[in-house]
Amino acid sequence: MRLSLLSPLMAAAVVSARTMDSLAAIPKDWSVVRQASSDDKISLRVALQQQHTDALEQAVLEMSTPGHPNYGMHMTREEVRSYTAPSADATSAVLQWLRKYGITPEVDNDWVSFTTTVATASELLDTKFAWYQFAEGGSPKLRTLSYNVPDAVAKYVDLVQPTTRFGQLGAKRSTIFNMHRPDAAELAAMKATSFSVNEAPGTEAAAATCSPVNPTCLKSLYNIKYTPSASTDNKVAFCSYLEEYARYTDLQRFETNFLPAAKGQNFSVELVNGGLNNQASSDDSGEANLDIQYILAVSAPIPITEYSTGGRGPLVPTKDQPTPPGSNEPYFEFLTYILAQPDSALPQTLSTSYGEEEQSVPQEYALKVCNLFMQLGARGVSVIFSSGDSGPGNSCVRNVGKNATYFEPTFPAGCPWVTSIGATQGTNPEKAVSFSSGGFSLYHTRPAYQNAAVAPYLTRIGSTYSAYFNGSNRAIPDVAAQGVSFQVVDKGATSLLSGTSASAPVFAGIVALLNAARKTQGKAPLGFLNPWLYNNTDSFTDITTGYGSGCSGNANLKNGARWNATVGWDPVTGLGTPKFDKLLAAAAPGVANA
């Protein structure tokens, strides 16, 4: 056999490359629709390595830790960008690499974005793209199972996405566990067993029940009596995705039926990445209505903004519908948008009730998104996420290259720079809800602010389930709030919604109130919350009954699995549910809860 030799020209073309990410197989519940055409369009983002990431993390911890000399000293946009800026060599190397392939990119600090053809992207990243479909629906996605970057460039690059990033249903899923529209008989029974909206918070009648949940019972249960001014310098916001839009008419009816003191207050909308504000949409609006109505229920009259972020694109781009499929990554689209806003435009509290399995997210992607949330914390924004609605997990199968039993923490709740909210139900006592997600992150180590609270729990459970989670990682959730049977007006009718989707906006409303109280004393907003929360554990009611269950159908867990609510922190309700009067005293000493 004669061995052929590479020509000098061919040898010069062989470039040593680093595999940036690689999936062992197509993710569970995804299948190939077809191979990508060479002229399909694709939009990609390159994240350049930041020069001072560790220094920024330390600075955010210092400004967020009570008692530190830098507590409350948040950064401006330009100060944050000085930390996250790449080196000149990094920017130069990546731009030269892209231009060799005829790509004209856009540069924004540590991000480089561009649109090209699949043929060019395949050559650039030494990979093959295909269209993939998720079994439960949603639009097909243009993805690959691995990609490579030349060694000379890879040392400057954190990731190139969306490439190996497979998400469910347009990258996000609402954490509404259940939505039920009661019939006439159920509505009559609810009126007969529930208290009047005119009952004063804190009275025995108001505290009697939170089934179903309405604004008055929440304020009574959590002892919320403080009413702030409607200052435009303190704002609270929520994120809407998947073509869900909060409806003005539903809010008006909610105010009339359940919150007459806030009658007339509306919300503003900011459109991101082609997002809309379609008030005539026939699509679902339960999540968006739940968010606006229960942020308002707790925090009125503080101004509220909805960020409506687009990001699914057409099923398959055509000449008549050429929208680049790379636009279906709303996390990056939203976060880069909001971080680019001037300091005066930022909300001080941001609530999101969407998420997915952490294992469905490439580690490099999860880390980069988490870094962006940290940047929001640096600028004084409290970022709140629902923990999810699957207890320890759904199937509890680690399907990314392992196919072994393992609990399924959620993303982005597992990011240590966000505050994760679990769910409770009932009163006297309030107890954990079976769907409330929790556990331990796959990717993020446990932050120091959690050590004192989480370590006793791990000692208490010993080796129970120890093969199925990493107890040295970030623990989820941080705190909890009511999450079952919220009365929401949706499309003109009252519905009952349950899920950690309900818990997150309630807690966001509480944080907005605390920020309003701090403002009256000339104090900075709370910003990144977690060190402060874990420093004020006596400001929460410890939930010690109930459990979060999941893993049904797993062969190695024949009876499923459950996290129990117990004394101290636990992976169902975190530190517990809020005692507003104590939180207010800790956040703004001297401000009356009245």
Side-chain angles (χ1 to χ4, degrees):
M1 178 186 294
R2 187 176 70 176
L3 297 177
S4 61
L5 299 177
L6 290 173
S7 69
L9 182 61
M10 293 175 64
V14 176
V15 176
S16 177
R18 180 187 308 174
T19 300
M20 301 294 290
D21 191 36
S22 180
L23 305 181
I26 298 173
K28 182 184 176 184
D29 296 327
W30 287 85
S31 60
V32 177
V33 176
R34 65 170 175 84
Q35 295 302 307
S37 299
S38 60
D39 58 353
D40 283 343
K41 294 288 187 180
I42 185 168
S43 292
L44 297 170
R45 289 179 180 265
V46 181
L48 304 182
Q49 289 191 1
Q50 301 166 356
Q51 291 187 85
H52 307 296
T53 303
D54 291 344
L56 179 59
E57 289 184 0
Q58 184 60 35
V60 177
L61 285 172
E62 291 175 357
M63 70 179 69
S64 307
T65 301
H68 194 279
N70 293 337
Y71 183 67
M73 297 177 66
H74 302 122
M75 296 182 183
T76 65
R77 177 180 63 181
E78 296 311 313
E79 287 172 334
V80 172
R81 285 171 69 91
S82 71
Y83 277 90
T84 61
S87 67
D89 288 346
T91 304
S92 176
V94 169
L95 291 182
Q96 287 183 35
W97 171 52
L98 296 177
R99 286 166 181 161
K100 285 181 181 178
Y101 291 86
I103 295 170
T104 302
E106 294 182 3
V107 181
D108 182 14
N109 204 38
D110 56 327
W111 290 96
V112 178
S113 56
F114 60 92
T115 298
T116 187
T117 63
V118 161
T120 299
S122 298
E123 187 178 0
L124 178 77
L125 301 174
D126 187 21
T127 190
K128 293 182 179 179
F129 285 90
W131 289 95
Y132 294 86
Q133 176 69 55
F134 185 57
E136 294 184 18
S139 58
K141 290 188 175 183
L142 189 55
R143 296 292 187 267
T144 183
L145 299 183
S146 67
Y147 71 96
N148 305 278
V149 172
D151 283 339
V153 177
K155 61 184 179 181
Y156 299 122
V157 172
D158 282 336
L159 59 79
V160 183
Q161 289 289 355
T163 48
T164 53
R165 157 71 167 136
F166 288 75
Q168 296 179 5
L169 297 178
K172 289 172 172 285
R173 173 176 290 171
S174 162
T175 52
I176 286 180
F177 178 75
N178 182 52
M179 182 172 178
H180 169 65
R181 182 154 291 173
D183 58 26
E186 289 175 292
L187 285 171
M190 283 161 42
K191 290 178 181 178
T193 58
S194 186
F195 52 82
S196 166
V197 296
N198 295 317
E199 296 285 359
T203 64
E204 190 171 323
T209 179
C210 259
S211 179
V213 173
N214 65 31
T216 308
C217 92
L218 285 174
K219 287 191 170 185
S220 177
L221 181 63
Y222 297 138
N223 195 20
I224 302 170
K225 301 176 183 178
Y226 176 67
T227 300
S229 65
S231 169
T232 56
D233 293 335
N234 176 42
K235 294 173 286 189
V236 57
F238 65 97
C239 297
S240 291
Y241 299 94
L242 303 182
E243 295 86 53
E244 284 216 21
Y245 317 106
R247 299 179 192 267
Y248 301 130
T249 54
D250 286 339
L251 180 62
Q252 291 168 5
R253 182 167 294 189
F254 179 82
E255 291 170 348
T256 298
N257 293 349
F258 300 106
L259 199 64
K263 197 167 184 178
Q265 183 173 344
N266 212 332
F267 60 96
S268 60
V269 180
E270 287 193 34
L271 307 181
V272 182
N273 189 43
L276 302 174
N277 181 23
N278 185 359
Q279 294 294 304
S281 171
S282 60
D283 292 340
D284 289 342
S285 53
E287 175 61 64
N289 278 331
L290 172 61
D291 287 335
I292 179 60
Q293 290 171 24
Y294 278 89
I295 289 176
L296 180 73
V298 174
S299 68
I302 295 172
I304 305 173
T305 298
E306 176 188 26
Y307 291 105
S308 177
T309 302
R312 287 210 267 194
L315 295 182
V316 178
T318 66
K319 291 182 179 179
D320 295 326
Q321 278 186 301
T323 304
S327 64
N328 63 357
E329 279 305 328
Y331 276 126
F332 277 161
E333 299 293 351
F334 170 69
L335 287 169
T336 53
Y337 167 84
I338 194 170
L339 284 167
Q341 300 307 301
D343 301 322
S344 61
L346 291 181
Q348 285 62 54
T349 310
L350 179 65
S351 179
T352 307
S353 294
Y354 291 81
E356 57 194 288
E357 292 177 13
E358 193 176 48
Q359 68 167 335
S360 74
V361 181
Q363 184 171 2
E364 59 172 18
Y365 180 95
L367 296 177
K368 179 56 66 173
V369 168
C370 193
N371 174 275
L372 295 171
F373 288 129
M374 176 185 65
Q375 293 178 45
L376 282 175
R379 294 177 64 186
V381 180
S382 300
V383 181
I384 292 164
F385 267 89
S386 52
S387 72
D389 297 333
S390 54
N394 287 314
S395 64
C396 295
V397 174
R398 184 76 186 275
N399 57 56
V400 182
K402 296 181 180 292
N403 205 32
T405 298
Y406 211 79
F407 289 165
E408 297 168 341
T410 55
F411 167 86
C415 169
W417 301 103
V418 309
T419 300
S420 173
I421 317 298
T424 59
Q425 65 178 337
T427 61
N428 300 316
E430 199 172 0
K431 62 182 181 179
V433 182
S434 62
F435 58 70
S436 183
S437 285
F440 299 83
S441 171
L442 300 174
Y443 302 144
H444 303 280
T445 58
R446 188 200 309 152
Y449 62 73
Q450 283 195 312
N451 286 340
V454 175
Y457 174 80
L458 293 171
T459 299
R460 190 176 299 114
I461 67 170
S463 61
T464 305
Y465 299 139
S466 60
Y468 307 137
F469 68 93
N470 183 349
S472 64
N473 281 358
R474 152 72 160 145
I476 313 164
D478 297 299
V479 295
Q482 288 279 310
V484 175
S485 295
F486 276 54
Q487 296 183 87
V488 176
V489 177
D490 184 56
K491 297 182 180 178
T494 297
S495 296
L496 298 180
L497 276 69
S498 301
T500 55
S501 270
S503 312
V506 169
F507 197 77
I510 287 173
V511 175
L513 290 178
L514 298 177
N515 280 331
R518 288 176 64 83
K519 183 174 175 57
T520 66
Q521 298 181 326
K523 290 184 170 69
L526 289 166
F528 172 49
L529 286 170
N530 294 1
W532 183 79
L533 296 176
Y534 285 87
N535 198 55
N536 288 282
T537 57
D538 63 344
S539 297
F540 295 89
T541 297
D542 190 11
I543 305 301
T544 59
T545 57
Y547 56 85
S549 63
C551 306
S552 59
N554 187 293
N556 293 321
L557 297 164
K558 294 183 180 179
N559 296 316
R562 63 170 61 179
W563 297 119
N564 290 321
T566 187
V567 174
W569 181 92
D570 59 66
V572 196
T573 62
L575 299 173
T577 56
K579 299 176 182 178
F580 182 78
D581 55 332
K582 290 186 176 294
L583 289 169
L584 181 63
V591 173
N593 184 25

